Amino acid sequence: MAKPKNVPASTLSTGDLASRTLILDNGAHTIKAGYSSHLDNHAPNHQDCTIIPNCIARSTRDKRTYIGPELTTCLDYGELAYRRPVEKGYVVNWEGEKAIWERSFSSEEGGLGCEPAETNLILTEQPNAPVTLQRWTDEMVFEEFGFGAYYRTIGASLNAWAPSPFPSTADSVSGLPVECLLVVDAGYSHTTITPLYHGRPLHSAIRRLDVGGKVLTNRLKDCISRTFDVHREDHIVSEIKEDVCYVSPSPSAFAADLERTWKGGRYDARELDTTVVVDYVLPDYEHIKRGYHRPHDAKIKGGRVLRVDEETGRREHVVTVGNERFTVPELLFTPSDIGMSQPGLCGVILQSIHSLPEGLRQVFLANIIVVGGSGLLPGFVERLDAELRGAVDEDLVVRVARAEDPLKNSWLGGARMAQDEGNLRQRLVTRAEWMEHGEGWVRRRFAGKIGR
Amino acid sequence: MRVNGGERVLVGEGERVEQSLELFKLRRGELGTADPFTCSRAFLLELSINKTIKTAIMATGPLRFRTPHIEELPTAQSRQSAGFAWVPVSGAQDDPAKNWGTTNRKRQRQSTGGQTDQQKEAVSARQQREVERRIKDLNSDNSKETVEIPKKPGQQPSGGAFKIGKTTGTKKIMSSGKGLQHHLEDEQAEIDRTGRREGEVDAPAPNAQRASKTPLHRRKPREDSSASNSPAPAVSSMPPPAIPRGMSMDTAAELVQLDDSDEDGENQLPGLPSAAEMEALLNAAPLTYAQARAASPPPGLPPPRRFCETCGYWGRARCLKCGAMTCSVVCKDEHDQSKCLKMYA
């Protein structure tokens, strides 16, 4: 997209808001992006949001580099080399991030067709960011991209405006936040617990568990590599994790599952339980475009095989996945399995809740929402619910729910918030104000310290 | 001690044999007194002490009197006991030098008089480092900086300037090569040097202590200090609003007692904090990255579970050479052949 060398002055006068708002939920794995407008009555829904991989990938087989949304056009995901500009949820490498954003904003195929000068921006970040990175973000948005007005917030706080997944809560009017919400964001880099009050975060109670989707994928890579080396196949192992992994409903069920997948000792050979152990057929991107799994075939010994499939007569790589199915997600609930000195997810939630005054504890325990990619694992919510119930007093109510679409929920909340003009005027900072007051003022505004 | 006509000497149980002989001699008048010595109590003599007396008697040289016949009289208190007793000894071996030639590392540690604190710390520091290295590997992104960003061909005349950035500020930002660790360390240095990060109006007092260098396993749980590094401890810190809130809870509790009606559930809950306290909570400064990390679990929990390195079942046996756990003989063979450190290290 051709861009003049100087950033054009915004065509809006200081009183006006641009007609539509771009909500960019900037994550370490993917960007969730879409438009919302306060001028029309169209209620935002999940279709308005596009998920863009937040990476620059180079394929050694194609000799091509894919930036951001181009990755969906890639035909061969084997041995992709990634470069991720977002580390632990914070944008560190703006050179790469700028390339990805520009490709996403362009009107080419897969892009959003965004004109930054004519759009408001709502951008999300992770809590407890180093101040320098916040300053850099502000400067890049205003100077480099030239957005007219912009609001930077903690990603979790947008969830307060999304429709509540609890069946008993009345539907919130679009534009008003839920009063109390405890957001468990099980994301790619880590898992963050954020209590929100009327959409504003209670900073002293935000806690972070350093286990996220990335750690789970890497651990699965290590486990599968005992039989078949997959250390470079990030995308394929990620797909295996999404297809096949689940969370055991309780520690005793975990032990029972482990028994079922054990092949036994030397004198005590056991049958593998084929309901749990599966064979995963790896994609070869010629005939098989996407891997799939099927129950374990006892004739396959040793865990990995290159065999001829009976029906199609073609060769396929098959990997046996046994106890990795549930020991890998168990890391979220017992990080001490790999030696991390943090408590499991239940313990972290309790730490967060105990740091709040006593009167608030019950309220937040009753309103726990799970968002983020790792929340999609089957059995996650049930396990969390059971553990929390066991850990708190019997007379406290505990309600845990997964958002309807955990990946897009924050985006949806942001879109609904942006529908209300009052919200926008209260929060957005225009470029003129940034030039006038400077970046320290802008940062304090975003932190909620200076009202309008 | 009583002597009957048959020259029987009964020696008290536990009495020293020499004393008994003295008394015997006394009785016999060799030491000057002629009173017959009668004893009011019944005395017993163990069979083995019998022998001891005989040996003692023999050891003291040939006697000038007839050897007394010493015989055990069973009474209610007599019992055949083993002549030795089990005595608890603290420490497994009395003599650590006995382990001088073992190859068993555990016994070797015993033999050198126990490990010093320093050595113990070295062992656990090594384990700690190993664990940390493995965790860092798990967190690796596989991101390679060599992936180049392709330039869009022929879009605008001055492609180079476009890529680098429009203003000097953005040029600097985009050409910075700092990673997240750099930023976090910079921020930590800033906090240690001055108050809080810039932009915080109410900066807490600068931290007079250095950042703790104690290894993790020796750290004692620290009380919360506002600018400290340690993650905010779970229960011990109540935010300042708790103090006025405590009063409000007392008044709420009083009210509860006053209107002692039949509904139990609602009134027993502690009251919600007042609006002022909520404002204070909401306006609190955000924590630093390190402070927001969840703290370690309380130390009383069971030790972490170990799994087999070959198959993933419960780990039941540890390899002596490299310390890896395996579950069965089959897995251990596999481990020895390919993964044991003696192959590579």
Side-chain angles (χ1 to χ4, degrees):
Chain A
M1 189 166 74
K3 244 207 188 108
K5 196 163 176 192
N6 298 317
V7 179
S10 174
T11 51
L12 308 167
S13 59
T14 33
D16 279 355
L17 287 176
S19 59
R20 57 181 191 167
T21 311
L22 174 66
I23 295 117
L24 218 56
D25 184 3
N26 213 11
H29 190 217
T30 53
I31 305 178
K32 279 68 74 181
Y35 290 107
S36 159
S37 172
H38 60 96
L39 293 177
D40 63 28
N41 280 331
H42 164 76
N45 56 23
H46 296 296
Q47 267 72 25
D48 294 333
C49 172
T50 45
I51 298 189
I52 302 169
N54 196 0
C55 63
I56 301 174
R58 176 160 176 80
S59 163
T60 47
R61 300 186 188 177
D62 273 0
K63 302 278 186 267
R64 267 191 66 189
T65 309
Y66 300 94
I67 302 180
E70 290 169 4
L71 193 57
T72 46
T73 64
C74 173
L75 295 172
D76 188 343
Y77 289 111
E79 298 198 2
L80 275 183
Y82 283 96
R83 179 178 177 182
R84 294 197 183 275
V86 177
E87 247 184 82
K88 302 279 182 179
Y90 311 114
V91 181
V92 173
N93 183 331
W94 269 107
E95 205 183 330
E97 190 69 10
K98 174 181 151 128
I100 295 175
W101 278 16
E102 277 176 356
R103 180 62 186 82
S104 316
F105 295 161
S106 74
S107 344
E108 292 169 28
E109 159 100 33
L112 293 163
C114 169
E115 263 289 346
E118 306 291 327
T119 321
N120 308 320
L121 174 69
I122 295 182
L123 181 65
T124 65
E125 62 164 6
Q126 288 294 306
N128 316 307
V131 166
T132 321
L133 289 180
Q134 288 180 329
R135 233 185 274 141
W136 282 9
T137 308
D138 296 345
E139 194 165 336
M140 288 296 288
V141 164
F142 279 128
E143 296 286 342
E144 184 74 19
F145 291 98
F147 279 96
Y150 141 76
Y151 173 54
R152 167 171 56 77
T153 176
I154 293 182
S157 56
L158 290 181
N159 285 298
W161 278 273
S164 165
F166 296 110
S168 54
T169 315
D171 255 341
S172 61
V173 178
S174 180
L176 282 184
V178 171
E179 189 176 334
C180 285
L181 194 61
L182 184 72
V183 177
V184 175
D185 182 4
Y188 182 70
S189 330
H190 48 230
T191 304
T192 313
I193 319 287
T194 316
L196 300 172
Y197 183 71
H198 286 295
R200 300 172 62 190
L202 299 174
H203 285 284
S204 60
I206 297 182
R207 295 283 180 272
R208 182 186 75 244
L209 174 65
D210 284 327
V211 176
K214 176 168 60 171
V215 171
L216 297 182
T217 306
N218 283 341
R219 176 86 181 132
L220 188 58
K221 277 192 215 167
D222 286 342
C223 291
I224 296 182
S225 299
R226 291 180 198 142
T227 52
F228 182 64
D229 184 22
V230 288
H231 279 295
R232 288 192 303 264
E233 314 269 358
D234 208 53
H235 188 98
I236 296 178
V237 176
S238 212
E239 284 183 350
I240 298 180
K241 179 184 78 170
E242 287 162 20
D243 282 350
V244 144
C245 283
Y246 67 91
V247 182
S248 290
S250 75
S252 50
F254 173 75
D257 279 343
L258 204 51
E259 292 290 333
R260 293 199 288 174
T261 54
W262 192 41
K263 65 177 187 325
R266 188 194 274 176
Y267 304 109
D268 174 31
R270 297 195 194 175
E271 287 282 313
L272 294 174
D273 186 349
T274 52
T275 53
V276 183
V277 181
V278 296
D279 285 343
Y280 195 88
V281 177
L282 297 175
D284 61 0
Y285 300 109
E286 287 169 35
H287 307 287
I288 312 173
K289 297 289 177 188
R290 176 78 164 77
Y292 59 93
H293 66 275
R294 55 182 188 224
H296 177 65
D297 187 359
K299 294 199 286 286
I300 299 179
K301 291 261 182 279
R304 100 120 126 181
V305 119
L306 175 62
R307 63 192 277 272
V308 178
D309 186 24
E310 283 105 19
E311 300 124 31
T312 58
R314 294 200 198 96
R315 305 193 321 170
E316 52 181 22
H317 277 283
V318 178
V319 172
T320 309
V321 184
N323 54 31
E324 295 86 11
R325 282 185 77 183
F326 48 88
T327 50
V328 163
E330 186 74 17
L331 283 186
L332 280 167
F333 294 94
T334 323
S336 57
D337 281 350
I338 45 170
M340 288 184 90
S341 66
Q342 287 189 299
L345 191 54
C346 169
V348 177
I349 294 180
L350 288 177
Q351 278 186 10
S352 173
I353 287 189
H354 278 302
S355 73
L356 293 169
E358 248 188 73
L360 290 178
R361 289 179 192 173
Q362 163 65 96
V363 183
F364 281 109
L365 270 177
N367 286 293
I368 301 182
I369 180 175
V370 172
V371 295
S374 301
L376 283 168
L377 288 169
F380 184 95
V381 170
E382 290 81 8
R383 173 71 181 268
L384 184 61
D385 197 39
E387 279 204 2
L388 275 177
R389 266 182 225 284
V392 300
D393 279 343
E394 254 180 31
D395 50 357
L396 289 177
V397 174
V398 171
R399 284 192 310 176
V400 181
R402 175 202 321 215
E404 205 183 308
D405 185 342
L407 293 175
K408 298 184 181 170
N409 205 53
S410 302
W411 180 87
L412 190 60
R416 281 161 61 112
M417 182 191 83
Q419 292 254 288
D420 181 27
E421 192 169 336
N423 274 333
L424 287 181
R425 282 199 187 278
Q426 200 185 18
R427 292 160 205 275
L428 290 176
V429 169
T430 61
R431 192 153 180 272
E433 285 171 348
W434 186 74
M435 304 287 249
E436 184 186 328
H437 297 280
E439 51 93 22
W441 181 91
V442 164
R443 224 177 47 247
R444 283 201 294 279
R445 276 267 303 150
F446 288 147
K449 301 245 162 71
I450 306 176
R452 193 183 278 287
Chain B
M1 194 172 79
R2 180 166 62 82
V3 178
N4 55 16
E7 300 286 347
R8 280 176 177 196
V9 175
L10 292 166
V11 180
E13 189 176 22
E15 258 186 43
R16 294 187 47 177
V17 177
E18 296 82 356
Q19 285 171 355
S20 306
L21 282 178
E22 287 293 318
L23 281 171
F24 182 72
K25 288 177 192 165
L26 186 67
R27 205 250 348 134
R28 297 287 286 183
E30 288 162 15
L31 295 176
T33 51
D35 290 335
F37 179 81
T38 51
C39 222
S40 56
R41 284 183 285 165
F43 286 92
L44 302 171
L45 183 63
E46 299 290 352
L47 204 57
S48 56
I49 300 179
N50 231 340
K51 286 189 199 156
T52 319
I53 283 184
K54 285 187 188 155
T55 47
I57 289 166
M58 286 189 278
T60 50
L63 291 174
R64 283 176 281 143
F65 44 86
R66 271 183 298 154
T67 314
H69 175 66
I70 301 170
E71 148 186 331
E72 174 189 354
L73 283 185
T75 64
Q77 284 148 347
S78 76
R79 52 176 181 269
Q80 291 278 351
S81 65
F84 58 87
W86 293 111
V87 176
V89 173
S90 64
Q93 282 85 31
D94 340 84
D95 190 8
K98 280 189 192 152
N99 291 329
W100 59 271
T102 52
T103 47
N104 188 336
R105 270 184 245 149
K106 231 170 159 179
R107 289 179 196 263
Q108 278 173 4
R109 272 181 260 146
Q110 295 287 343
S111 70
T112 53
Q115 282 182 317
T116 62
D117 263 348
Q118 212 183 20
Q119 283 170 319
K120 286 190 191 132
E121 172 159 333
V123 167
S124 49
R126 237 183 296 139
Q127 288 168 348
Q128 193 76 26
R129 251 182 284 136
E130 178 63 32
V131 166
E132 274 168 19
R133 187 191 62 85
R134 242 183 265 144
I135 293 175
K136 205 163 67 75
D137 274 344
L138 278 177
N139 266 320
S140 80
D141 228 349
N142 279 341
S143 76
K144 302 182 165 82
E145 291 299 319
T146 54
V147 177
E148 285 291 321
I149 305 170
K151 278 203 261 286
K152 291 233 174 68
Q155 286 282 346
Q156 58 282 321
S158 51
F162 167 57
K163 185 173 173 188
I164 295 174
K166 297 193 177 72
T167 67
T168 46
T170 54
K171 280 201 193 82
K172 257 197 300 187
I173 292 174
M174 300 225 299
S175 58
S176 148
K178 279 187 177 180
L180 183 64
Q181 271 311 109
H182 298 263
H183 287 288
L184 292 176
E185 282 164 11
D186 285 347
E187 172 142 325
Q188 197 50 52
E190 186 71 33
I191 294 177
D192 291 340
R193 215 163 45 84
T194 60
R196 186 61 168 84
R197 321 148 155 179
E198 317 149 37
E200 295 300 327
V201 180
D202 41 355
N207 195 2
Q209 287 173 301
R210 275 185 326 180
S212 167
K213 285 194 184 154
T214 338
L216 286 171
H217 66 283
R218 277 217 292 177
R219 244 176 238 187
K220 295 198 175 54
R222 276 173 32 179
E223 293 313 306
D224 181 45
S225 62
S226 47
S228 74
N229 251 0
S230 59
V235 187
S236 55
S237 78
M238 286 294 277
I243 301 160
R245 198 205 67 76
M247 292 185 345
S248 73
M249 189 170 85
D250 285 342
T251 50
E254 273 174 20
L255 288 173
V256 165
Q257 261 110 43
L258 283 178
D259 60 341
D260 199 357
S261 47
D262 6 336
E263 57 254 16
D264 292 330
E266 303 297 311
N267 292 345
Q268 301 298 345
L269 288 177
L272 293 176
S274 75
E277 288 144 14
M278 290 306 297
E279 274 306 308
L281 264 184
L282 286 168
N283 286 335
L287 306 169
T288 61
Y289 190 75
Q291 280 174 338
R293 185 176 190 267
S296 308
L301 290 178
R305 322 187 276 198
R306 314 294 296 266
F307 296 96
C308 170
E309 288 204 350
T310 314
C311 70
Y313 189 63
W314 301 113
R316 301 196 285 195
R318 192 186 286 270
C319 173
L320 288 179
K321 301 198 169 63
C322 64
M325 298 206 84
T326 42
C327 67
S328 59
V329 181
V330 177
C331 289
K332 184 170 184 315
D333 286 342
E334 169 72 33
H335 166 84
D336 284 340
Q337 281 164 18
S338 50
K339 284 193 288 245
C340 187
L341 288 180
K342 77 168 163 75
M343 303 280 291
Y344 304 110

